[in-house]
């Protein structure tokens, strides 16, 4: 049985496209907008939520535009030579050093935080609680990309991969946990539909030692589109607000063009501000502490 939650913030991943969500969440932080008792993030969405819960605006922006644009993180030549295309561990641990988290603020809020990962052995989504004592393991696991990185992170002895493989937008899981009011931050424009994978035999060949994970990757479009269908036609007792990039969103999964990233951030920020206006945030804002 799950404890029931009334309101949730759900943030999709999308690698560098996460710059959009960082803008949305920075707008929320600036207005001290924390009306949620549950937050759920996937991959880059989960790392964005860490900065949101720590009340550190522009922290994620700095990580994406400085660290994630470095060849220490993304290096095609390193991949060609047999190394990792992306170094998730380097990015996470360097961000902890360069932009330390305010763990006091992170722990102060009574908000349950789950990151979604994919269990490599079963292909099923794993909803992992995020705490200061386990966040290094959980947040590298939710971002772990099969094939393009060699090491498979483990959480509680279970090998894990990117949560976007099994549950990119965990709205159905949130509803199962009792949530009836959701704010969902997407990484693709509203109306986007994921297409079935091409070259299925390649996926099976590359992941021949991890067949359940391969099957989850081949079924990802169905899982993703089921979540979109739920968002478009929620149950009668469920209210969903969607914040999605505009159709001219300039950022792709591996964009490192700073001008495009800044544009994507500002698009997220201003749509976050518009969301606050719609919500009438004055009545739901956490008041400043009086000295």
């Amino acid at each position: 049985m799950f404890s029931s939650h009334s309101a949730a913030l759900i943030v999709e991943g999308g690698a560098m496209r996460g710059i959009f969500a960082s803008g949305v969440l920075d707008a929320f932080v600036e207005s001290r907008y924390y009306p949620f008792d549950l937050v759920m993030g996937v991959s880059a969405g989960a790392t964005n939520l860490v900065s949101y819960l720590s009340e550190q605006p522009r922290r994620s922006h700095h990580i994406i535009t400085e660290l994630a644009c470095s060849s220490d993180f993304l290096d095609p030549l390193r991949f060609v030579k047999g190394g990792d295309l992306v170094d998730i561990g380097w990015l996470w641990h360097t961000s902890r050093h360069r932009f330390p988290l305010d763990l006091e603020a992170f722990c102060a809020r009574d908000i349950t935080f789950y990151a979604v990962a994919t269990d490599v052995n079963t292909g099923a989504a794993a909803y992992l609680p995020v705490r200061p004592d386990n966040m290094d393991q959980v947040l590298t696991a939710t971002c772990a990309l099969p094939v393009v990185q060699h090491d498979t992170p483990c959480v509680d002895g279970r090998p894990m991969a990117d949560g976007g493989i099994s549950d990119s937008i965990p709205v159905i899981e949130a509803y199962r946990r009792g949530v009836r009011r959701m704010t969902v931050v997407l990484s693709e424009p509203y109306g986007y539909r994921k297409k079935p994978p091409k070259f299925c035999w390649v996926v099976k060949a590359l992941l021949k030692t991890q067949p359940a994970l391969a099957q989850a990757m081949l079924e990802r479009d169905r899982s993703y589109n089921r979540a979109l269908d739920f968002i478009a036609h929620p149950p009668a007792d469920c209210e969903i607000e969607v914040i999605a990039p505009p159709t001219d969103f300039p950022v792709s999964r591996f964009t490192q063009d700073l001008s495009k990233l800044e544009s994507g951030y500002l698009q997220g920020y201003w749509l976050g501000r518009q969301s606050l206006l719609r919500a009438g945030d004055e009545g739901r804002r956490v008041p400043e502490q009086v000295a």
Side-chain angles (χ1 to χ4, degrees):
M1 294 293 293
F2 302 126
S3 60
S4 182
H5 299 278
S6 61
L9 171 63
I10 298 171
V11 185
E12 186 184 0
M16 302 298 272
R17 295 179 72 87
I19 194 74
F20 174 81
S22 76
V24 174
L25 297 181
D26 279 358
F28 287 4
V29 173
E30 288 181 4
S31 288
R32 297 181 57 78
Y33 185 68
Y34 290 88
F36 313 103
D37 55 8
L38 172 68
V39 299
M40 303 181 77
V42 184
S43 191
T47 58
N48 271 322
L49 281 170
V50 173
S51 299
Y52 168 69
L53 293 176
S54 300
E55 300 183 40
Q56 293 174 269
R58 294 190 70 84
R59 179 177 181 273
S60 290
H61 177 279
H62 288 308
I63 292 170
I64 294 170
T65 58
E66 297 175 34
L67 301 183
C69 287
S70 164
S71 61
D72 289 315
F73 171 62
L74 174 64
D75 188 349
L77 183 58
R78 179 177 61 206
F79 185 58
V80 170
K81 292 180 177 179
D84 292 341
L85 176 64
V86 293
D87 191 336
I88 299 295
W90 175 88
L91 181 64
W92 172 255
H93 292 293
T94 304
S95 71
R96 290 290 306 265
H97 174 71
R98 287 274 302 277
F99 309 105
L101 287 165
D102 185 342
L103 292 178
E104 183 176 351
F106 179 88
C107 295
R109 297 194 177 282
D110 186 21
I111 299 176
T112 303
F113 179 13
Y114 286 98
V116 185
T118 301
D119 189 311
V120 170
N121 291 331
T122 66
Y127 305 95
L128 306 173
V130 182
R131 306 179 303 268
D133 66 305
N134 75 353
M135 66 168 56
D136 289 345
Q137 292 76 35
V138 170
L139 291 172
T140 51
T142 185
C143 297
L145 299 175
V147 180
V148 299
Q149 70 178 86
H150 297 299
D151 291 338
T152 302
C154 291
V155 178
D156 297 330
R158 300 158 61 195
M160 295 288 174
D162 191 309
I165 297 169
S166 54
D167 194 358
S168 295
I169 316 168
V171 287
I172 297 173
E173 179 64 19
Y175 186 81
R176 287 181 58 225
R177 292 173 182 261
V179 175
R180 295 299 180 264
R181 182 162 50 86
M182 307 181 196
T183 297
V184 181
V185 183
L186 299 178
S187 296
E188 298 283 355
Y190 192 72
Y192 168 83
R193 302 287 291 185
K194 186 168 287 296
K195 297 179 180 179
K198 299 179 180 179
F199 308 110
C200 296
W201 64 271
V202 174
V203 175
K204 292 180 179 180
L206 290 172
L207 296 172
K208 61 183 178 181
T209 62
Q210 299 170 328
L213 183 63
Q215 189 61 34
M217 291 184 71
L218 294 176
E219 296 176 357
R220 187 185 177 200
D221 63 299
R222 280 168 273 179
S223 170
Y224 192 97
N225 292 334
R226 274 197 301 272
L228 294 179
D229 290 340
F230 184 94
I231 291 170
H233 306 286
D237 63 345
C238 184
E239 174 188 344
I240 301 179
E241 178 193 16
V242 176
I243 305 175
T247 55
D248 63 347
F249 187 62
V251 182
S252 67
R253 292 185 63 84
F254 294 112
T255 295
Q256 292 187 311
D257 183 313
L258 292 177
S259 64
K260 291 182 179 179
L261 291 170
E262 189 64 27
S263 176
Y265 173 82
L266 291 173
Q267 287 176 324
Y269 179 83
W270 289 113
L271 286 172
R273 298 301 308 173
Q274 290 177 30
S275 171
L276 292 170
L277 290 173
R278 288 194 300 272
D281 62 300
E282 289 295 334
R284 293 156 66 183
R285 184 182 303 173
V286 176
E288 298 285 351
Q289 296 295 320
V290 178

